[in-house]
Amino acid sequence: MRKLSLILAFGALAMGCGTVGGTYEECRSGGDGCDRAVDQCFALSIPAERTSGEFCSRICTGDFDCDRNRGWEGVCYSLGSDPTPLCFQQCDFNSDCEFGSVCIEVSLGGGVIDFICVPDN
């Protein structure tokens, strides 16, 4: 598990996803849920990147808990001050991400940089 230096607020939405979505896909609270039993609909807001939205993901303990998607690895990060780690898809460009998500640069400390898809819907 890696710790990111972003200010981030997120929470699991008890009602699930509005449209049935796969891991890392856009979702809306109040619907039928994400299509995988291990996923939940999480709302994220990253003010420094001017992004916010909801996506299907899961709580993780390491990268091994996270699915690959679109040919990219899944990574487990604990963002900002919230200690709960979630799975994110790595990326190089916005087009690598699911619809409703964007690719952002994150600093992992010690000069390590990664790029992940985060919801912006």
Side-chain angles (χ1 to χ4, degrees):
M1 174 178 36
R2 300 174 191 127
K3 197 91 164 150
L4 299 180
S5 59
L6 293 177
I7 296 174
L8 174 73
F10 78 88
L13 300 171
M15 301 306 282
C17 298
T19 58
V20 176
T23 305
Y24 312 124
E25 289 182 6
E26 180 178 355
C27 58
R28 292 283 181 253
S29 61
D32 296 330
C34 299
D35 71 353
R36 301 213 35 218
V38 295
D39 291 341
Q40 298 175 44
C41 190
F42 289 92
L44 278 80
S45 176
I46 306 173
E49 294 291 332
R50 296 186 176 118
T51 64
S52 66
E54 299 170 284
F55 79 133
C56 293
S57 188
R58 67 187 66 134
I59 295 171
C60 51
T61 58
D63 293 348
F64 53 85
D65 289 330
C66 303
D67 289 345
R68 293 178 56 86
N69 192 46
R70 296 179 163 220
W72 294 92
E73 294 293 327
V75 292
C76 182
Y77 292 144
S78 179
L79 300 175
S81 61
D82 194 312
T84 307
L86 292 179
C87 290
F88 295 90
Q89 175 194 317
Q90 290 180 314
C91 56
D92 281 335
F93 304 101
N94 288 342
S95 59
D96 299 328
C97 301
E98 293 290 345
F99 178 80
S101 293
V102 293
C103 186
I104 66 166
E105 179 180 310
V106 292
S107 173
L108 303 172
V112 178
I113 302 291
D114 199 0
F115 294 86
I116 59 171
C117 297
V118 296
D120 190 28
N121 49 50

